[in-house]
Amino acid sequence: MEKYLYIALFAPFVSSLFSALFTATPKKLFTGIIASLLIFTSLVSSTILLIYLFKGGEPIHVEMMTWMATGDLYIPFGFLVDQVSVTMMMVVTLVSTVVHVYAIGYMDHDKGFNRFFSWLSAFVFSMMILVMSDNYAGLFIGWEGVGLCSWGLIGFWFHKESASWAANEAFIMNRIADLGMLIGIFLIYWNTGTLQYDGAFAAFHTLDPTTLTWIGIFLFIGAMGKSAQFPLHTWLADAMEGPTPVSALIHAATMVTAGVYLVIRSNELYSLIPDVGLFIASLGTFVALFAASMALVNRDMKRIIAYSTLSQLGYMFAAAGLGAYWVALFHLMAHAFFKALLFLGAGNVMHAMHDELDPFKMGGLKKVMKWTWIMMTIASLALAGIFPFAGFFSKDTILEAAFADHHYVIYGVLLFTAGLTAFYSFRLVALIFHGEERYKLFGIHPHEAYRFMLVAMSPLLLFAIIAGVFQEPFFHMVEELLRAHEYHIHSHTTLWIMLLGTQIFVGLAILYAYKKYARSGIKVPDGTSATENSFIYKLLINQYYIPYFYEEYIIRPYRELSAVFWQKIDIKIVDATVDGIAGIIYSTGEKTRTMQSGNLSTMLKWMVVGLVVLLSLAVIFGVTVRYSDGAASALSGLGVM
């Protein structure tokens, strides 16, 4: 089985290197094909490893070589394939394979076709390092690798100022959070003497609660940045400036879930500090509602789906914070399928609508984009948690966990958020595919995506429908590693009331969305309606003015302070001092260069001057020495010394 580990890990690396060979050349179709085949190879190997572990095989642990060894510090290039990591490997490679094949059509006319596949495969390789490493240092290397690749992919169209700005925002905000994570890793080594998972987890039980709390807090700060949790959330919606396949891979299924994976992987730590876990669950619950509320009014198709991702990440953190680690991991997996499908469907719509993102300028597209409509509708049903789609099983289990643990406020907020999720999801579907064909007003002639792109999306469609069937087998596979326990409501009557109540509530939200937005007569908002001028609408459309707060009270003062330091200190003091020293040395050289004129008479004069100076120094030094010796003798005679 070890060979499959290496194939799964390094096939994306080979794919990236191969594509990089052609980055300076025009588009080559075989670049995308071979890159996709190599990612598919990684998927096949990951599938073999999953089947092996599912049948009861032992986790696979390999150490390729020593990475760092100094004093007591020993960090190998080690990799671990267990029930948790293999789940992430399957999610990453399956979605990546679909996205690679899809991107062959989506990026068909882009000049950076080859460069795109190099970045995309490098991202997959970094993500595989992150989830397969057997220690926190290796995880951090993959963590930074996906950060770098996401910067390159978000800002892929760097000629657009908005794309470059979004890439820098995501990169900088994540680096701020990563400082916290790095401190947490240092604390782990300082207190346990190791960064290996098994050694650190065993040592956690011997540490005092205060130390464990600080380690848990700092690690979670890193998770907050990568998974875009409040207040480090603003970069995720802005990251939609990147190509849509990037959004499907990075911002739906892989990188943004890395923070959840970190908490799940560190379950041995967070199980010992339930107060921190409750904070994580509370923050996740808040983010779920917070993000869903912003999606209610947004008019950018990709941003709506991005806010939905942010909201579902809140669900995952809520489950993990409550100790339901296997539930969080299952929702992570199920969400990856239907959310990536939504993003790729949005990509089809963008191509058909000449990159238009405002759903109010669409309408009636199901007539010309039947398959995209079917896929996005099913993905939205799964996202809303409608039975029997994947989201029903994963989200319902999170609600059960909150209710069974008597966290009724968390349960109530998540249930209300489920209704909001259903509403904004089908608001988007209704505006895009139903009602009048408003796109005709803008002279747009939409068309369906390439057939092979639709075929590439079909695995995601399949899993969005049937993933819930694997809930029980998945639970039994991970229960030993995550020390999981099933969450059941003791009263069957209560359970059925919860299930039916949730379905009715969500169903009503869907019907209301259709009634409001699938009808004829929908107009493109122009900012003059009473709704658009209401306080609530302005609050939500401006993201609660948090980006404004950051710009006005953090970024602008910092920029102005930097300008003051540059003009007053850097230029007038630092630069002036350096330039002054250089000027003195230069002028001294200019004045003394006459000494080297080559004239014999001049040189003899300088020799005499030098001789006089040396003799004067000798006399002064001699007098000083004699005076010092005499003074010492006098003091000794007086008995002072």
Side-chain angles (χ1 to χ4, degrees):
M1 288 292 123
E2 186 176 322
K3 65 180 179 182
Y4 294 111
L5 181 152
Y6 290 124
I7 293 172
L9 176 62
F10 288 108
F13 180 61
V14 176
S15 174
S16 178
L17 290 180
F18 175 80
S19 302
L21 294 175
F22 305 99
T23 53
T25 63
K27 171 201 166 184
K28 294 184 181 295
L29 183 61
F30 70 85
T31 303
I33 295 173
I34 293 178
S36 301
L37 287 173
L38 286 166
I39 300 299
F40 178 71
T41 303
S42 181
L43 170 61
V44 172
S45 297
S46 298
T47 305
I48 293 171
L49 292 170
L50 175 65
I51 295 172
Y52 166 76
L53 289 171
F54 183 77
K55 290 182 176 180
E58 292 295 319
I60 304 165
H61 188 194
V62 300
E63 290 189 6
M64 290 178 57
M65 63 188 76
T66 298
W67 178 22
M68 296 183 188
T70 174
D72 295 330
L73 176 64
Y74 174 70
I75 304 176
F77 276 116
F79 299 96
L80 174 67
V81 177
D82 59 12
Q83 291 84 349
V84 173
S85 59
V86 79
T87 301
M88 292 295 296
M89 290 165 62
M90 277 297 300
V91 170
V92 171
T93 54
L94 176 60
V95 177
S96 298
T97 301
V98 171
V99 168
H100 272 72
V101 176
Y102 177 92
I104 294 174
Y106 190 90
M107 303 297 291
D108 183 42
H109 302 295
D110 197 285
K111 295 180 180 179
F113 183 88
N114 302 328
R115 177 169 57 91
F116 179 80
F117 279 94
S118 182
W119 273 114
L120 203 63
S121 298
F123 172 85
V124 179
F125 174 60
S126 299
M127 194 69 198
M128 294 295 276
I129 291 176
L130 190 157
V131 301
M132 294 175 68
S133 289
D134 67 346
N135 61 82
Y136 282 102
L139 180 146
F140 189 73
I141 294 299
W143 192 276
E144 295 304 300
V146 295
L148 173 64
C149 293
S150 68
W151 172 82
L153 288 166
I154 294 169
F156 182 77
W157 291 317
F158 53 85
H159 55 276
K160 293 170 56 180
E161 184 178 351
S162 57
S164 295
W165 189 91
N168 290 335
E169 180 191 20
F171 189 82
I172 293 169
M173 193 163 286
N174 274 273
R175 297 296 76 71
I176 293 171
D178 291 352
L179 175 61
M181 180 181 175
L182 198 57
I183 293 173
I185 293 174
F186 285 153
L187 287 175
I188 291 173
Y189 177 73
W190 185 267
N191 290 280
T192 67
T194 181
L195 292 177
Q196 301 294 112
Y197 292 145
D198 51 0
F201 293 162
F204 285 155
H205 295 273
T206 65
L207 300 181
D208 63 276
T210 301
T211 301
L212 291 174
T213 298
W214 281 113
I215 293 173
I217 289 172
F218 280 115
L219 287 182
F220 182 62
I221 290 173
M224 288 170 62
K226 198 65 74 182
S227 294
Q229 295 296 284
F230 178 88
L232 304 176
H233 65 282
T234 55
W235 69 266
L236 182 58
D238 293 334
M240 295 303 104
E241 289 288 340
T244 302
V246 172
S247 302
L249 179 61
I250 295 180
H251 307 123
T254 54
M255 188 186 82
V256 293
T257 61
V260 181
Y261 170 77
L262 175 63
V263 175
I264 295 172
R265 174 56 75 186
S266 304
N267 67 89
E268 295 278 358
L269 167 65
Y270 288 101
S271 297
L272 298 172
I273 44 176
D275 290 341
V276 175
L278 182 58
F279 170 78
I280 293 173
S282 301
L283 180 63
T285 303
F286 166 74
V287 170
L289 177 61
F290 173 73
S293 66
M294 292 187 288
L296 294 174
V297 300
N298 202 276
R299 289 178 53 186
D300 185 306
M301 177 172 55
K302 286 179 66 177
R303 282 178 175 263
I304 293 171
I305 303 175
Y307 286 131
S308 173
T309 299
L310 183 54
S311 181
Q312 297 308 304
L313 288 168
Y315 274 89
M316 297 174 205
F317 276 116
L322 294 175
Y325 300 106
W326 82 268
V327 179
L329 186 60
F330 185 70
H331 188 52
L332 184 158
M333 178 180 67
H335 170 264
F337 302 138
F338 54 74
K339 187 54 63 66
L341 182 61
L342 267 178
F343 266 118
L344 296 183
N348 291 349
V349 174
M350 283 181 64
H351 260 202
M353 294 293 297
H354 303 166
D355 293 332
E356 178 58 61
L357 288 167
D358 188 350
F360 281 94
K361 297 180 180 180
M362 301 177 189
L365 283 178
K366 74 174 183 179
K367 297 178 182 178
V368 292
M369 302 185 71
K370 178 182 177 181
W371 287 107
T372 298
W373 165 61
I374 292 173
M375 290 183 176
M376 289 191 70
T377 300
I378 292 176
S380 297
L381 288 169
L383 174 61
I386 295 294
F387 180 85
F389 301 102
F392 166 79
F393 295 91
S394 59
K395 289 176 71 173
D396 180 71
T397 312
I398 295 174
L399 293 173
E400 286 184 36
F403 192 89
D405 275 357
H406 309 295
H407 293 289
Y408 301 118
V409 174
I410 291 177
Y411 168 78
V413 173
L414 292 179
L415 177 61
F416 179 67
T417 303
L420 297 184
T421 302
F423 175 80
Y424 69 67
S425 297
F426 282 89
R427 168 182 177 263
L428 185 63
V429 172
L431 286 172
I432 294 174
F433 297 105
H434 300 276
E436 295 176 336
E437 299 166 340
R438 295 181 297 277
Y439 60 83
K440 291 182 178 180
L441 299 174
F442 303 95
I444 298 174
H445 303 284
H447 55 83
E448 184 60 280
Y450 295 133
R451 188 176 299 273
F452 80 88
M453 294 170 67
L454 297 173
V455 172
M457 295 165 64
S458 59
L460 299 177
L461 175 66
L462 177 64
F463 281 107
I465 297 172
I466 69 168
V469 176
F470 301 104
Q471 185 182 45
E472 286 299 318
F474 178 79
F475 165 72
H476 291 298
M477 183 180 77
V478 303
E479 62 179 338
E480 182 178 352
L481 185 64
L482 296 180
R483 295 189 296 179
H485 59 281
E486 294 188 75
Y487 288 88
H488 291 303
I489 308 303
H490 298 299
S491 169
H492 289 289
T493 303
T494 304
L495 176 61
W496 278 107
I497 291 174
M498 287 173 57
L499 291 176
L500 291 175
T502 302
Q503 291 294 289
I504 292 172
F505 180 51
V506 169
L508 290 174
I510 293 173
L511 290 176
Y512 179 62
Y514 267 111
K515 181 180 179 181
K516 186 174 178 63
Y517 294 104
R519 57 184 172 81
S520 300
I522 295 291
K523 296 182 179 180
V524 179
D526 57 4
T528 59
S529 67
T531 300
E532 293 173 278
N533 287 300
S534 67
F535 172 76
I536 296 296
Y537 181 89
K538 289 184 177 180
L539 187 67
L540 296 179
I541 200 69
N542 288 290
Q543 306 173 57
Y544 293 91
Y545 294 98
I546 293 174
Y548 173 81
F549 174 83
Y550 287 166
E551 176 65 31
E552 291 297 319
Y553 298 103
I554 296 178
I555 298 174
R556 180 173 293 179
Y558 179 79
R559 186 164 52 236
E560 291 176 354
L561 183 63
S562 298
V564 171
F565 274 88
W566 168 53
Q567 295 171 355
K568 303 298 183 181
I569 297 178
D570 192 41
I571 294 178
K572 294 188 176 181
I573 298 178
V574 178
D575 287 356
T577 301
V578 173
D579 292 344
I581 293 172
I584 292 171
I585 294 173
Y586 182 81
S587 61
T588 302
E590 282 289 314
K591 293 176 180 179
T592 56
R593 66 189 300 178
T594 56
M595 294 171 59
Q596 301 295 326
S597 63
N599 185 282
L600 181 60
S601 176
T602 302
M603 294 174 70
L604 288 172
K605 291 178 181 178
W606 280 114
M607 289 175 62
V608 172
V609 171
L611 181 61
V612 171
V613 171
L614 288 174
L615 290 174
S616 300
L617 290 174
V619 171
I620 294 170
F621 180 74
V623 171
T624 303
V625 170
R626 284 197 299 272
Y627 175 79
S628 299
D629 291 343
S633 300
L635 291 172
S636 177
L638 293 173
V640 177
M641 297 182 64

